[in-house]
């Protein structure tokens, strides 16, 4: 079944409250997804020439401090980092490909959850409440955030199989629904150099977006193509460095609701997840149309 929630702040004065505003939205989706949960939060941008990577280990108690020392020595780079429970956020002026190569050699149990200037993806197995408490979501700050609660239907319950899935620098995707042609698409995308770590159909959708963007598509063009090439039922929420987008398949049988005020735009699988937001009683509330992309982004 799964649940999706997203919150984009139009009012910068609310950025210190982003985590506190978003946490009850994610918890409201517990019944739709009790086996794992995650979120992608945007903020705390690195300076030009640097990248930020979110790392999580599939093994408990990983020695991130030792890993960072080895990375710094091997890459000869500048880096900063901090640990958040089972995750570490690394900021560095090293090349992304070089960091990934050294990580694969030194720490094969560590997965790169996200890369970019702004994004951090944190996720794991357990009830949404377990995930929000583990990563202290209520204390987090930022400009926008999307999240997901999962009820697995087609693949194993693992940290890697939780949403969101990264689709490129500062880009990620969460999904409610199921894709009927994910096996064929996975094979085709592998021939185009797209790599996969799970059997999750959502990872195929994420890989598809990655491929389309590498072909030169804009985000809108990639999502327009997805309406043709992805068979099945889906509501997608896509996070970008500057905002987020929502799209449903042409049949639109998977639920979604949007709300907008002068302070924020919010989306969820069910209205109850929006009911805790300030001013929701005065918001414009509507159901997104089938095969229609809705996007909010900060102006350059």
């Amino acid at each position: 079944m799964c649940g999706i929630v997203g919150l984009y702040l139009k009012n910068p004065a609310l950025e210190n409250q982003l985590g506190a505003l978003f946490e009850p939205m994610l918890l409201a989706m517990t019944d739709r997804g009790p086996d794992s949960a995650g979120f992608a939060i945007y903020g705390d941008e690195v300076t030009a020439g640097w990248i930020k990577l979110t790392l999580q280990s599939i093994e408990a108690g990983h020695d991130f401090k030792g890993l960072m020392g080895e990375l710094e020595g091997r890459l000869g780079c500048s880096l900063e980092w901090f640990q958040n429970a089972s995750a570490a956020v690394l900021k560095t002026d090293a090349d992304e490909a070089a960091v990934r190569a050294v990580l694969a050699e030194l720490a094969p149990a560590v997965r790169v959850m996200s890369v970019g200037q702004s994004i951090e993806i944190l996720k794991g197995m357990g009830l949404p409440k377990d995930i929000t408490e583990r990563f202290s979501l209520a204390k987090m700050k930022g400009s926008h955030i999307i999240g997901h609660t999962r009820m697995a239907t087609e693949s194993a319950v693992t940290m890697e199989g939780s949403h969101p899935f990264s689709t490129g620098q500062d880009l990620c995707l969460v999904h409610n629904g199921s894709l009927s042609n994910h096996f064929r698409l996975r094979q085709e995308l592998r021939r185009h150099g797209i790599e996969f770590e799970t059997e999750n159909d959502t990872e195929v959708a994420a890989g598809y977006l990655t491929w389309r963007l590498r072909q030169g598509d804009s985000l809108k063009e990639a999502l327009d193509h997805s309406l043709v090439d992805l068979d099945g039922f889906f509501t997608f929420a896509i996070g970008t460095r500057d905002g987020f987008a929502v799209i449903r398949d042409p049949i639109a049988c998977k639920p979604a609701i949007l709300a907008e005020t002068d302070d924020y735009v919010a989306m969820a699988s069910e209205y109850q997840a929006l009911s805790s937001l300030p001013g929701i009683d005065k918001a414009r509330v509507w159901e997104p149309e089938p095969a229609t992309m809705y996007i909010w982004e900060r102006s350059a």
Side-chain angles (χ1 to χ4, degrees), residues 23-37:
E23 183 177 52
M25 295 175 62
L26 191 67
L27 296 182
M29 292 291 94
T30 297
D31 288 344
R32 295 188 66 89
D35 62 49
S36 54

Side-chain angles (χ1 to χ4, degrees), residues 36 47 65 69 93 108 115 128 132 166 184 212 220 224-225 251 267 289:
S36 54
T47 57
K65 183 177 181 180
D93 60 357
V115 181
T132 63
S166 175
R184 178 184 62 79
R212 293 296 330 182
K220 183 181 186 306
D224 284 342
H225 280 112
I251 298 175
M267 71 84 58
E289 295 292 329

Side-chain angles (χ1 to χ4, degrees), residues 206-221:
Y208 175 85
L209 284 186
T210 300
W211 174 64
R212 293 296 330 182
L213 293 166
R214 288 179 183 175
Q215 297 300 110
D217 280 6
S218 66
L219 176 59
K220 183 181 186 306
E221 289 168 339

Side-chain angles (χ1 to χ4, degrees), residues 33-220:
D35 62 49
S36 54
F39 55 90
I41 187 166
Y42 292 82
D44 186 28
E45 291 212 354
V46 295
T47 57
W50 283 56
I51 55 172
K52 178 167 65 168
L53 301 92
T54 314
L55 311 176
Q56 284 188 244
S57 175
I58 59 176
E59 299 172 348
H62 190 84
D63 178 17
F64 281 113
K65 183 177 181 180
L67 176 60
M68 296 304 166
E70 291 184 274
L71 275 175
E72 191 170 21
R74 287 284 297 273
L75 294 169
C77 64
S78 299
L79 65 81
E80 302 170 4
W81 73 282
F82 64 89
Q83 188 163 348
N84 183 351
S86 57
V89 177
L90 165 64
K91 303 175 183 180
T92 179
D93 60 357
D95 176 73
E96 177 188 346
V99 176
R100 285 183 179 272
V102 175
L103 279 172
E105 179 185 345
L106 296 177
V110 169
R111 300 286 186 263
V112 178
M113 296 290 101
S114 61
V115 181
Q117 277 68 54
S118 179
I119 189 174
E120 296 173 26
I121 290 180
L122 301 163
K123 59 185 183 178
M125 296 177 289
L127 290 168
K129 187 174 186 292
D130 299 335
I131 307 306
T132 63
E133 291 179 351
R134 182 181 308 162
F135 297 116
S136 301
L137 171 60
K139 298 178 181 179
M140 299 183 80
K141 305 172 184 178
S143 55
H144 54 293
I145 185 170
I146 62 172
H148 184 271
T149 64
R150 185 174 183 231
M151 182 180 289
T153 55
E154 89 308 323
S155 61
V157 178
T158 62
M159 181 268 288
E160 303 99 300
S162 308
H163 302 213
F165 283 96
S166 175
T167 61
Q169 286 211 6
D170 285 311
L171 195 66
C172 69
L173 176 145
V174 296
H175 169 212
N176 175 25
S178 61
L179 302 179
S180 58
N181 65 336
H182 66 93
F183 182 79
R184 178 184 62 79
L185 267 179
R186 183 182 284 107
Q187 291 180 312
E188 183 177 337
L189 290 167
R190 278 179 172 148
R191 288 195 289 270
H192 290 289
I194 303 299
E195 298 179 0
F196 297 95
E197 295 184 357
T198 76
E199 295 302 312
N200 192 304
D201 61 341
T202 304
E203 190 180 13
V204 174
Y208 175 85
L209 284 186
T210 300
W211 174 64
R212 293 296 330 182
L213 293 166
R214 288 179 183 175
Q215 297 300 110
D217 280 6
S218 66
L219 176 59
K220 183 181 186 306

Side-chain angles (χ1 to χ4, degrees), residues 285-298:
V285 178
W286 76 101
E287 182 180 351
E289 295 292 329
T292 303
M293 187 168 74
Y294 299 83
I295 187 165
W296 289 266
E297 289 187 325
R298 299 181 187 277

